[in-house]
Amino acid sequence: MERNIEIVLYAFTVMYTPGPVNLLGLNAGLSTPLRRTLGFFAGVALAIFCWFAVIGLAGQLIVVERIIPVIALAGSLYILYLALKVYRAAPPNATEPADGASAQGAAGQLRFRDGFLMQLLNPKNSVLVIPITTVMFPTHNIAGLSLIAASALIALGGGGAPLLYCLAGRTLGKRIARPEVLVRCNRIMALLLVVVAVLLLYDYVLSPLREAIT
């Protein structure tokens, strides 16, 4: 176990730092019951597992590099869609029970599909997956079924990241339970998601395109 500690530390550092998926988890915790977002976390975990399993078993780094701009473009557009979804979402009415959700609030509910597609199309997966699958796994002779098992464990940790942010959001939400404050939080989160989408477009699409032209 000690020889694999750098894999654990690296994966933890990358997955638990603020990012679009974790920001959505935090926002969901402010106004959405936890049970309504479990599918979102499961989708995130499955997407991470797919990245590790496919790239780890295929080992074709050059193929991944070529499709990163396409993934970044699709991922950025999906993040913008979710930003609009978060911006338009309304928190539950103050008169409703904590575990209930208003018809308006349901419009902003995060589902399995949202978590899976957003994480699958997140080009920053390459920052997590490629160093581990091309350097760390081979160094520690992790291959075959061991690779699948390690990928599953990392994926579970990845799904736990937005869950942890969601729990933090729930704690914070109890302190700012007024609907107007939650609406402002939704809009701030939506703005942050737009910024993330623009940065992804610049880093992974526009910048490589400019270098190719020049």
Side-chain angles (χ1 to χ4, degrees):
M1 179 65 183
E2 292 182 0
R3 66 176 187 169
N4 297 330
I5 191 65
E6 72 268 25
I7 298 177
V8 175
L9 290 176
Y10 180 78
F12 180 87
T13 301
V14 174
M15 293 187 299
Y16 282 77
T17 52
V21 173
N22 290 338
L23 285 176
L24 280 173
L26 177 64
N27 185 73
L30 292 174
S31 57
T32 307
L34 180 61
R35 61 185 175 82
R36 292 181 176 271
T37 55
L38 293 178
F40 177 77
F41 309 136
V44 171
L46 180 58
I48 293 175
F49 175 78
C50 289
W51 267 81
F52 270 99
V54 172
I55 297 176
L57 293 175
Q60 298 295 323
L61 177 59
I62 188 169
V63 174
V64 176
E65 288 179 339
R66 286 176 177 174
I67 65 173
I68 285 296
V70 178
I71 294 173
L73 178 60
S76 298
L77 292 176
Y78 196 74
I79 290 172
L80 290 174
Y81 158 73
L82 290 178
L84 177 63
K85 188 176 181 180
V86 169
Y87 183 86
R88 297 175 61 182
N93 294 327
T95 56
E96 294 182 353
D99 290 335
S102 66
Q104 290 180 310
Q109 180 181 331
L110 297 174
R111 301 174 182 175
F112 174 87
R113 178 196 64 190
D114 297 321
F116 179 74
L117 289 178
M118 188 171 184
Q119 189 65 44
L120 191 69
L121 298 174
N122 186 354
K124 290 191 174 182
N125 278 320
S126 60
V127 177
L128 169 66
V129 177
I130 291 176
I132 292 179
T133 56
T134 61
V135 178
M136 298 181 187
F137 278 178
T139 299
H140 299 301
N141 297 316
I142 298 176
L145 292 178
S146 296
L147 186 148
I148 295 297
S151 299
L153 289 175
I154 295 174
L156 287 175
L163 172 60
L164 184 63
Y165 276 75
C166 179
L167 294 176
R170 284 181 63 81
T171 301
L172 182 62
K174 292 177 181 178
R175 300 176 182 273
I176 53 171
R178 290 184 300 170
E180 62 272 17
V181 176
L182 294 177
V183 168
R184 291 195 192 101
C185 289
N186 278 354
R187 293 179 176 176
I188 291 173
M189 290 296 177
L191 178 60
L192 290 175
L193 287 174
V194 171
V195 171
V196 168
V198 171
L199 290 176
L200 288 179
L201 279 172
Y202 178 80
D203 290 339
Y204 292 94
V205 180
L206 298 180
S207 186
L209 181 61
R210 184 176 60 184
E211 291 178 3
I213 294 175
T214 56

